[in-house]
Amino acid sequence: NAGVTQTPKFRILKIGQSMTLQCAQDMNHNYMYWYRQDPGMGLKLIYYSVGAGITDKGEVPNGYNVSRSTTEDFPLRLELAAPSQTSVYFCASRGTYGSDEQYFGPGTRLTVT
Amino acid sequence: RKEVEQDPGPFNVPEGATVAFNCTYSNSASQSFFWYRQDCRKEPKLLMSVYSSGNEDGRFTAQLNRASQYISLLIRDSKLSDSATYLCVVNPYSGGYQKVTFGTGTKLQVIP
């Protein structure tokens, strides 16, 4: 049971490039989330999903896109990277019933220069 | 007013000390509350949920005051390994999509 996995761990992008951050969970959780965390700041919700085929915007969705074709995977797409997207990105998941605990992946550190 | 506000850090305390953090929330209808711990350059992990009657887990005690809209975390007999950032998390919804709100965190440094 690997929990929530994210790839890559680190990435440097040039302005205007695109990339996909991968997230997968093996806990059969319906809820999945993408957050970004800037230095000294709290986590900001980018997008979330309540199940395969269903996604919705969070607080800071501009510049990002998501898809959820399976329960396990929730990739985050960055189009036309900008320096303002330099951040640490965390993916998280939560089960539908029982504990409210969100399980986080180890994060992806992204630098856009 | 921010949805969730935490004590400004950092808190530098000696080993063995007792330290308390507070967190205020703006939505009086908020339903559930949590403390997460985040080590440097790591992901957040659930430390404990906060129940209406207050709850304890070893050296950690969490309290909820709905009237004043704040939650607290008390750490007794601080250990070096307690050094981390503590995130207050509030869920404003009863059920639903569980879009919780994270505070910016309070950094604790326990000094030998």
Side-chain angles (χ1 to χ4, degrees):
Chain A
N1 189 331
V4 180
T5 57
Q6 290 184 240
T7 57
K9 286 187 168 53
F10 306 93
R11 183 73 186 268
I12 298 174
L13 278 183
K14 293 192 186 304
I15 294 170
Q17 286 185 322
S18 300
M19 76 165 293
T20 298
L21 281 65
Q22 301 292 345
C23 174
Q25 52 91 10
D26 61 2
M27 297 173 281
N28 202 32
H29 286 170
N30 283 328
Y31 296 141
M32 294 188 75
Y33 310 83
W34 273 106
Y35 296 92
R36 60 176 286 173
Q37 186 176 36
D38 299 329
M41 304 295 286
L43 283 87
K44 300 289 187 186
L45 182 64
I46 305 171
Y47 271 95
Y48 68 97
S49 169
V50 301
I54 306 170
T55 63
D56 206 348
K57 296 177 180 179
E59 296 176 75
V60 290
N62 291 343
Y64 307 95
N65 275 302
V66 294
S67 59
R68 183 101 181 265
S69 56
T70 66
T71 298
E72 295 76 21
D73 300 298
F74 190 39
L76 177 71
R77 178 84 178 159
L78 276 72
E79 304 283 0
L80 298 175
S84 60
Q85 293 178 305
T86 294
S87 191
V88 180
Y89 291 84
F90 289 105
C91 177
S93 72
R94 190 187 78 82
T96 308
Y97 304 106
S99 169
D100 289 340
E101 180 177 0
Q102 291 192 21
Y103 295 83
F104 284 82
T108 293
R109 295 183 179 279
L110 176 67
T111 301
V112 182
T113 62
Chain B
R1 182 180 174 185
K2 287 184 181 178
E3 288 185 66
V4 177
E5 290 195 82
Q6 294 191 238
D7 274 354
F11 283 61
N12 297 312
V13 302
E15 268 187 291
T18 295
V19 62
F21 308 136
N22 284 332
C23 167
T24 57
Y25 59 95
S26 60
N27 185 345
S28 60
S30 294
Q31 296 295 318
S32 51
F33 310 87
F34 313 89
W35 285 102
Y36 277 68
R37 171 192 169 129
Q38 187 173 24
D39 293 310
C40 187
R41 302 177 72 84
K42 298 284 191 180
E43 71 273 23
K45 292 184 179 179
L46 181 68
L47 177 67
M48 58 197 302
S49 301
V50 185
Y51 302 123
S52 296
S53 55
N55 47 299
E56 191 173 303
D57 183 2
R59 297 181 293 108
F60 299 83
T61 300
Q63 296 277 353
L64 167 64
N65 185 317
R66 284 193 184 273
S68 301
Q69 293 180 213
Y70 76 86
I71 66 173
S72 64
L73 177 68
L74 181 79
I75 306 175
R76 290 181 299 277
D77 188 23
S78 298
K79 311 290 185 192
L80 294 175
S81 57
D82 294 334
S83 297
T85 297
Y86 292 84
L87 307 175
C88 169
V89 181
V90 176
N91 175 14
Y93 302 101
S94 56
Y97 300 147
Q98 299 282 333
K99 287 192 295 181
V100 299
T101 300
F102 285 80
T104 54
T106 299
K107 187 171 182 179
L108 171 66
Q109 184 70 46
V110 181
I111 304 162

